[in-house]
Amino acid sequence: MYKYDQYDHALVQARVQQFRDQVERRLSGELSEEEFLPLRLQNGLYLQKQAYMLRVAIPYGTLSSNQLRTLSQIANKYDKNYGHFTTRQNIQFNWIKLEEVPDILQLLANNEMHAIQTSGNCVRNITTEAFAGVASDELIDPRPLAEILRQWSTVNPEFLYLPRKFKIAISSSEYDRAAVRSHDIGLYLYRDEYEEMRLKVMVGGGLGRTPILNQLVREDLPWQHLLTYVEAVLRVYNRYGRRDNKYKARIKILVKTLGVDAFSQEVEQEWEQIRDSFAELTLAEYQRVSANFTPPAYKKLDAIDLVCGSWMARDNAFSTWVQNNTRSHKVDGYVSVILSTKPGPYVPPGDVTNKQMSAVADLAEQFGFGEIRVTHEQNLVLPDIRKSDLYTLWKILDDLNLATPNIGLLTDVIVCPGGDYCSLASTRSLPVSREIQQRFDKLDFLHELGELSLNISGCVNACGHHHIGNIGILGVDKKGEEFFQITIGGVQGKNSAIGKVIGPAFKADEVPNAIDRLLSTYLDYREQEEPFIETVHRIGLLPFKERVYKSAVKESA
Amino acid sequence: MENTIVIVDGVATATNDDPWNSVSLYNSSNLAAYEIISFVNWQEHLDSQPSQDPSKLGVSLQPDDDPAVLAPWISTLPLIVLEFPSFRDGRAYTQAALLRTRYGFKGDLRAVGDVLRDQLAAMRHCGFSSFNVRKDKSAADALKGLTGFDMIYARSVTNPEPLFRNRIL
């Protein structure tokens, strides 16, 4: 875990004081709402439908038990006893009073957290995958460079008023679990043939109204140049990105307009001027930051645990959970455990109560090394669990309602808060998610369907990442009525793809039927163990389309 | 210019009698010292009055101007003005950083337009040395924006070395 040093502490403490003063000036009327807006956004504070929402940064999705307890305390004291984990591995509190925000930020600062740059047109929380440092397919631990980027981008004075928000993700494993391809800058970290750390720099991805996957701008970048290269990209963007239309202001539009070659040339030209400067990273700095991420004191264990194995043989439910909700670990005898925040229709995906938070914090200490991760699918992870503890842990998680064995399955929905909370949303996404979870609540059927991602966004801003869901649902408002457009074929990861619209949009109550027909088409066409997405790729959209819309016509006739 | 903050030898003060004047209607034969003209007018001026001493005039750039255009006069210009049409338009931060670090501008670099207290510290980091605070706000009050904590991790014009090269632990 990264530990704050004197500089980190000084910065977040000063920031609390600064924002306390700004809130006072807003409350006294000295600052207009227009002047206050970018200041509060850069401190993670949105004004939603019924209240302020505060988004707290969880850098690269890593929390200590103590930090999670702090979040639990905030949920309890300042909110309605829950928080909502987001696709940027952050947490949002939905029912916040403006005058209490400085105290909340103080509490965060005292526990090595902040809400800096979790919104606004600046560099946002740096993300990586939830299994960083523990995944069995990891090439290099991406967290030291993620932390170095966090520091570099925090209050970087040149880039606080960009044309639009700016998201950076870094991944370094066989499977990309950080949705790198849909980021403004996506970084793949690897070792070259001489064992040197190198970066592949992808620029210009983003979802939203115009979904685009990022493109390769630089290959084989030595890690020492990470900051200068990112600086060059941001400088080109800050100078030339559009500012006249917020829907054309992301860097993806600039890359698309210039073409990736011309854009890369601009970046390279800029970079040539700054590459050999003081901003070049040093080995000493990399080592200093890496020292925060040294592996904990793992026990020497056998790869196979007999106790766990025999429980799996005896207890079917446990066995299902192990197969679905654990991931392999680089250390023998350990696994990572994913806690599903999606137990069913009665809980909005990503919502976790204060009691669950403090219980998970305790479990992380009792069974792990006091560390918790947040996944970009809005679930939690206990990264270092001994196989021999799995059965006991499972029982406890089950009591906490965090052991639904649906990770990676249809009901492991990514969904934005939608019109129930968000003032940008044009539709209510949560009821749609609820209907689908209600309709497909049979675990056997979900397992029969296998790996399938369903992502739902309540508006074109695409916070629910619908474009990269195997099935994506987008809410659109047509003359005051909510409609939902369905896409299929979206994929995240190294082979990312943007889903394609299957046809005219549906009313909310028609969505579960449409999904049902998509699924039955898949089950009819699939070959052997082929996952949904591969069937879509093999047979194309047409069979799905025909089934969904023909039967729709029949029903209404 | 009224309502202006100037930083001299690291000390920021608010003043109402800064000598510089923005010229609204440009007339090349009629320019006094301490007048500020746009880059377009500056070029016209050099063509029509090649004998006049350019070291008495300031030049202002729009956010979409490339700061490189001023490179030929960078060592003689006493003042360059960068515009903030809105405080949310961050292009001038990059222009400022480039003028200072790439083109070596040593004169006064002034922010004008939607210039407010809460952005001053970042502007200073990027190399601005004076600020014409928006009319309806007080420069004396805006001074507070330059007094607080302003440590950053990255390098900037005022901190040429990033924190990681200077860390004392």
Side-chain angles (χ1 to χ4, degrees):
Chain A
M1 280 285 313
Y2 183 73
K3 293 290 295 169
Y4 274 22
D5 66 8
Q6 55 182 350
Y7 298 102
D8 303 307
H9 276 295
L11 189 140
V12 295
Q13 293 289 346
R15 184 68 173 226
V16 174
Q17 291 317 312
Q18 186 190 47
F19 194 60
R20 192 180 289 281
D21 172 64
Q22 288 164 346
V23 168
E24 273 165 25
R25 282 152 62 207
R26 173 69 196 112
L27 292 171
S28 75
E30 190 187 327
L31 280 177
S32 70
E33 178 54 26
E34 198 229 334
E35 289 158 13
F36 183 59
L37 178 97
L39 305 178
R40 69 167 161 78
L41 287 182
Q42 297 210 343
N43 285 287
L45 192 63
Y46 281 80
L47 186 54
Q48 295 207 320
K49 280 193 170 152
Q50 293 105 339
Y52 280 98
M53 177 270 276
L54 179 69
R55 185 182 292 150
V56 175
I58 303 176
Y60 34 93
T62 302
L63 287 167
S64 66
S65 286
N66 187 36
Q67 289 172 330
L68 186 56
R69 279 188 201 104
T70 305
L71 297 175
S72 165
Q73 198 185 335
I74 292 170
N76 179 242
K77 188 169 174 192
Y78 299 102
D79 203 295
K80 297 184 176 180
N81 297 325
Y82 69 94
H84 174 79
F85 288 97
T86 76
T87 57
R88 270 210 97 52
Q89 304 178 296
N90 290 325
I91 187 169
Q92 324 187 145
F93 295 104
N94 283 310
W95 304 93
I96 295 299
K97 296 188 189 77
L98 177 59
E99 51 276 26
E100 292 181 339
V101 174
D103 292 341
I104 302 175
L105 295 182
Q106 185 65 62
L107 194 55
L108 290 170
N110 295 349
N111 292 282
E112 308 194 356
M113 284 186 286
H114 62 73
I116 299 168
Q117 290 168 228
T118 53
S119 58
N121 294 335
C122 49
V123 181
R124 303 287 191 89
N125 189 32
I126 311 296
T127 55
T128 185
E129 70 150 298
F131 307 100
V134 299
S136 60
D137 69 339
E138 184 167 277
L139 310 172
I140 302 170
D141 187 346
R143 291 172 298 170
L145 288 183
E147 173 60 27
I148 284 170
L149 273 171
R150 179 192 78 82
Q151 298 189 9
W152 177 86
S153 59
T154 299
V155 212
N156 187 318
E158 191 179 335
F159 305 121
L160 291 172
Y161 296 92
L162 297 169
R164 199 77 177 87
K165 59 187 171 185
F166 201 90
K167 301 178 177 181
I168 304 177
I170 178 167
S171 157
S172 182
S173 48
E174 204 172 311
Y175 291 95
D176 162 13
R177 288 170 287 255
V180 165
R181 298 292 316 278
S182 49
H183 281 76
D184 295 281
I185 294 181
L187 300 164
Y188 287 116
L189 176 67
Y190 58 95
R191 283 193 201 282
D192 68 7
E193 52 194 312
Y194 308 105
E195 291 294 296
E196 295 290 331
M197 285 202 297
R198 299 283 172 133
L199 291 151
K200 198 187 235 190
V201 183
M202 319 282 292
V203 183
L207 298 174
R209 182 171 292 216
T210 318
I212 301 177
L213 299 174
N214 50 26
Q215 300 183 67
L216 181 66
V217 163
R218 177 82 195 193
E219 215 153 4
D220 292 327
L221 181 76
W223 64 273
Q224 294 89 336
H225 297 300
L226 170 66
L227 298 183
T228 51
Y229 208 85
V230 170
E231 181 175 321
V233 171
L234 274 162
R235 192 169 266 176
V236 168
Y237 174 52
N238 195 36
R239 291 181 73 179
Y240 303 115
R242 281 182 67 169
R243 290 174 188 265
D244 58 330
N245 178 342
K246 86 178 232 194
Y247 295 110
K248 297 197 187 312
R250 292 281 293 269
I251 196 172
K252 61 190 174 184
I253 304 294
L254 180 66
V255 175
K256 201 177 150 196
T257 311
L258 289 177
V260 70
D261 294 336
F263 174 81
S264 307
Q265 219 176 330
E266 282 287 339
V267 171
E268 290 282 324
Q269 265 174 25
E270 178 58 37
W271 182 57
E272 283 303 327
Q273 309 262 356
I274 57 176
R275 54 178 290 181
D276 300 313
S277 63
F278 289 127
E280 187 178 320
L281 275 168
T282 58
L283 184 61
E285 173 65 358
Y286 182 78
Q287 287 170 339
R288 184 189 71 83
V289 177
S290 297
N292 289 280
F293 301 101
T294 46
Y298 292 112
K299 288 240 160 38
K300 260 202 157 346
L301 303 169
D302 289 335
I304 294 168
D305 184 85
L306 293 176
V307 180
C308 178
S310 65
W311 277 117
M312 281 177 77
R314 251 180 291 172
D315 191 329
N316 213 9
F318 173 63
S319 168
T320 305
W321 176 80
V322 172
Q323 281 165 37
N324 255 283
N325 289 27
T326 65
R327 294 292 177 268
S328 58
H329 200 286
K330 65 180 182 189
V331 178
D332 281 349
Y334 287 83
V335 290
S336 294
V337 171
I338 310 171
L339 283 49
S340 173
T341 69
K342 301 150 190 182
Y346 45 90
V347 179
D351 279 11
V352 177
T353 67
N354 64 314
K355 284 185 183 146
Q356 286 175 318
M357 285 187 235
S358 46
V360 171
D362 292 346
L363 292 174
E365 279 173 347
Q366 189 185 341
F367 294 101
F369 299 98
E371 195 175 319
I372 303 97
R373 309 289 181 82
V374 184
T375 75
H376 111 89
E377 292 88 356
Q378 308 177 274
N379 293 311
L380 298 179
V381 168
L382 295 175
D384 303 296
I385 300 299
R386 286 186 235 176
K387 287 180 182 171
S388 54
D389 288 331
L390 276 177
Y391 193 73
T392 322
L393 177 65
W394 172 64
K395 288 273 187 200
I396 303 172
L397 288 175
D398 196 37
D399 287 341
L400 289 167
N401 207 17
L402 291 168
T404 310
N406 62 347
I407 300 303
L409 305 180
L410 180 73
T411 52
D412 186 9
V413 190
I414 293 182
V415 59
C416 70
D420 290 293
Y421 295 96
C422 176
S423 46
L424 301 172
S426 39
T427 63
R428 294 169 66 224
S429 45
L430 287 176
V432 174
S433 155
R434 190 155 61 224
E435 290 297 319
I436 293 171
Q437 289 192 314
Q438 198 134 37
R439 174 73 167 264
F440 305 101
D441 64 341
K442 298 277 179 299
L443 272 171
D444 290 346
F445 179 66
L446 295 176
H447 287 278
E448 165 67 19
L449 284 172
E451 195 186 323
L452 206 177
S453 59
L454 170 65
N455 298 357
I456 308 173
S457 305
C459 78
V460 289
N461 288 316
C463 297
H465 295 187
H466 64 278
H467 301 293
I468 54 170
N470 297 163
I471 299 177
I473 299 179
L474 163 67
V476 284
D477 176 276
K478 291 187 185 172
K479 294 178 185 154
E481 203 178 345
E482 292 186 340
F483 280 87
F484 293 88
Q485 196 179 67
I486 297 181
T487 50
I488 59 173
V491 188
Q492 63 168 343
K494 285 188 179 158
N495 301 314
S496 284
I498 305 287
K500 295 197 174 81
V501 178
I502 60 165
F506 299 90
K507 289 185 181 174
D509 58 1
E510 299 167 338
V511 173
N513 274 336
I515 301 294
D516 192 35
R517 284 180 226 122
L518 284 176
L519 299 177
S520 65
T521 313
Y522 158 62
L523 292 175
D524 288 352
Y525 280 90
R526 84 164 156 197
E527 287 177 353
Q528 290 146 355
E529 297 292 290
E530 186 181 57
F532 177 85
I533 189 65
E534 282 175 26
T535 308
V536 175
H537 286 159
R538 184 171 52 79
I539 66 175
L541 247 57
L542 201 62
F544 290 94
K545 235 172 167 165
E546 276 178 354
R547 178 86 59 99
V548 170
Y549 289 99
K550 264 191 193 149
S551 21
V553 172
K554 237 182 274 165
E555 263 170 39
S556 55
Chain B
M1 276 186 185
E2 294 187 337
N3 212 33
T4 295
I5 294 173
V6 290
I7 302 176
V8 178
D9 297 330
V11 180
T13 35
T15 172
N16 272 327
D17 42 47
D18 168 80
W20 289 98
N21 288 302
S22 290
V23 170
S24 43
L25 277 175
Y26 168 72
N27 177 349
S28 70
S29 56
N30 200 9
L31 280 180
Y34 290 116
E35 294 196 302
I36 302 164
I37 55 179
S38 70
F39 178 65
V40 176
N41 290 341
W42 165 254
Q43 285 173 305
E44 277 177 42
H45 186 73
L46 290 178
D47 290 343
S48 61
Q49 309 281 333
S51 58
Q52 196 173 345
D53 180 6
S55 68
K56 297 282 193 290
L57 295 175
V59 178
S60 83
L61 293 183
Q62 291 301 307
D64 54 359
D65 285 334
D66 185 345
V69 296
L70 289 179
W73 305 284
I74 213 82
S75 55
T76 43
L77 277 172
L79 175 85
I80 297 175
V81 168
L82 298 176
E83 296 269 350
F84 284 87
S86 151
F87 70 93
R88 305 174 77 166
D89 184 334
R91 286 175 288 182
Y93 292 97
T94 290
Q95 288 177 314
L98 290 175
L99 282 168
R100 291 293 193 204
T101 57
R102 190 153 305 161
Y103 306 110
F105 179 57
K106 299 277 195 299
D108 188 8
L109 187 54
R110 177 163 302 184
V112 306
D114 202 5
V115 175
L116 303 171
R117 165 177 164 180
D118 294 290
Q119 285 78 41
L120 297 188
M123 290 179 186
R124 177 173 59 190
H125 263 299
C126 292
F128 284 101
S129 48
S130 63
F131 313 88
N132 184 223
V133 177
R134 201 174 78 189
K135 273 199 189 71
D136 59 324
K137 303 278 179 180
S138 134
D141 179 67
L143 260 184
K144 292 179 196 154
L146 290 168
T147 53
F149 176 93
D150 73 343
M151 182 210 98
I152 57 167
Y153 296 99
R155 58 149 170 202
S156 69
V157 173
T158 52
N159 301 17
E161 296 194 11
L163 180 64
F164 67 75
R165 287 185 183 264
N166 287 306
R167 227 170 241 279
I168 307 151
L169 282 177

